[in-house]
Amino acid sequence: MRIVHQYGISLLQKVVVISLILLLHCSCISKKNKEMSNIEFVPAEFQKVNVNFSEEENECSPYYGSDSYRINILEINAPEKILIKDLDVAGDTVFFPVCIFSSVSDLRALKFENDKMWVYIKDKDAAGAETILSGLVYEKEVSPDDVLLPSWQDEIERQHKKDVAEAIKLTDKELDNSPYSPERLTINLLDYVDFPVQSGKYEVWVTYCNLKSDKRVVEIIIGNEK
């Protein structure tokens, strides 16, 4: 005797449900591929870049695969061209990758601890006027623990303030005399800057810890733009 629960699902029903799930999944993938096929980068290597605030090195990162770099530098890389065949189809999949490399000494980080990382984009319109848009990439979030410090952390905070006061007195050359470590970051500029995507040529750069990166010129070409 086969006993079936009153609310059980038959084998046929399971097959139908699974088929519908697979159909929807394939439909989403097809839509995603269609959207992504509307966007191309020059160089093509940027097509593979993860722009979800990735701290992993990629082949578009400045100093990719190299351990040779100077202290207290800030450099970026960005595509030469972003080609969008149809902006309406591309939708939310449009992204503007910027790969960032920094090598900031501990002393410089102390002296300019309030100088957070900002990304800038400059556009020249047909009339020749310049418009610079910017966005804060990240800053330290203050939690209740940072405000109400335990007694043993009070001393750490006092020492930190003392170290900052000493670092502020140092020259740029003296700031080089401390340990440092490289940091790599890849972002989607559109996540941080309220930038209307349209055809044109743009300059992009980053500032951090009183350092200014090199500038990259990026051309956006939209096929269906009137």
Side-chain angles (χ1 to χ4, degrees):
M1 178 185 296
R2 184 170 66 92
I3 300 176
V4 180
H5 194 278
Q6 184 179 359
Y7 300 100
I9 300 177
S10 69
L11 178 59
L12 179 59
Q13 289 173 314
K14 288 182 179 179
V15 171
V16 172
V17 171
I18 293 173
S19 298
L20 286 173
I21 292 173
L22 290 174
L23 182 62
L24 289 172
H25 179 67
C26 292
S27 175
C28 290
I29 292 176
S30 176
K31 182 175 182 292
K32 184 75 171 179
N33 289 339
K34 184 179 180 182
E35 291 170 342
M36 290 304 297
S37 66
N38 275 275
I39 308 171
E40 295 180 10
F41 297 94
V42 178
E45 287 76 13
F46 280 95
Q47 202 80 27
K48 300 177 288 184
V49 167
N50 177 10
V51 294
N52 295 319
F53 199 86
S54 172
E55 295 182 289
E56 297 181 359
E57 183 182 37
N58 61 70
E59 55 187 300
C60 296
S61 301
Y63 297 98
Y64 173 66
S66 173
D67 292 327
S68 177
Y69 38 78
R70 294 178 291 107
I71 189 173
N72 287 326
I73 60 170
L74 180 63
E75 296 190 18
I76 67 168
N77 193 16
E80 297 171 14
K81 294 182 180 181
I82 301 177
L83 312 173
I84 306 173
K85 297 177 183 177
D86 190 320
L87 186 58
D88 296 329
V89 174
D92 293 336
T93 62
V94 175
F95 59 93
F96 195 129
V98 179
C99 301
I100 306 166
F101 176 89
S102 65
S103 176
V104 178
S105 70
D106 293 347
L107 287 175
R108 175 172 285 273
L110 280 172
K111 181 174 181 177
F112 301 106
E113 66 172 355
N114 294 320
D115 190 355
K116 309 304 179 185
M117 183 177 290
W118 286 77
V119 61
Y120 300 82
I121 182 167
K122 182 174 73 173
D123 173 29
K124 289 188 176 181
D125 61 24
E130 293 184 354
T131 300
I132 299 178
L133 302 175
S134 62
L136 180 63
V137 176
Y138 67 80
E139 63 179 335
K140 181 181 178 182
E141 295 182 356
V142 179
S143 67
D145 289 340
D146 292 328
V147 178
L148 303 175
L149 295 173
S151 58
W152 61 270
Q153 286 186 324
D154 287 342
E155 180 58 34
I156 296 176
E157 183 65 19
R158 282 194 292 269
Q159 183 61 47
H160 175 73
K161 290 180 178 179
K162 182 179 178 181
D163 292 340
V164 170
E166 291 297 322
I168 290 175
K169 302 174 184 177
L170 301 177
T171 64
D172 275 359
K173 186 174 182 180
E174 291 172 327
L175 292 176
D176 292 347
N177 299 323
S178 68
Y180 66 97
S181 58
E183 291 183 305
R184 295 172 174 85
L185 183 64
T186 302
I187 64 169
N188 177 10
L189 179 141
L190 301 180
D191 288 340
Y192 305 94
V193 181
D194 186 12
F195 168 69
V197 178
Q198 54 189 15
S199 294
K201 287 187 176 182
Y202 305 89
E203 274 188 336
V204 179
W205 69 95
V206 171
T207 60
Y208 180 51
C209 283
N210 203 42
L211 295 172
K212 184 177 180 179
S213 75
D214 51 325
K215 293 183 178 181
R216 295 285 178 165
V217 176
V218 180
E219 182 178 11
I220 297 178
I221 302 173
I222 302 176
N224 69 327
E225 191 172 64
K226 296 180 181 180

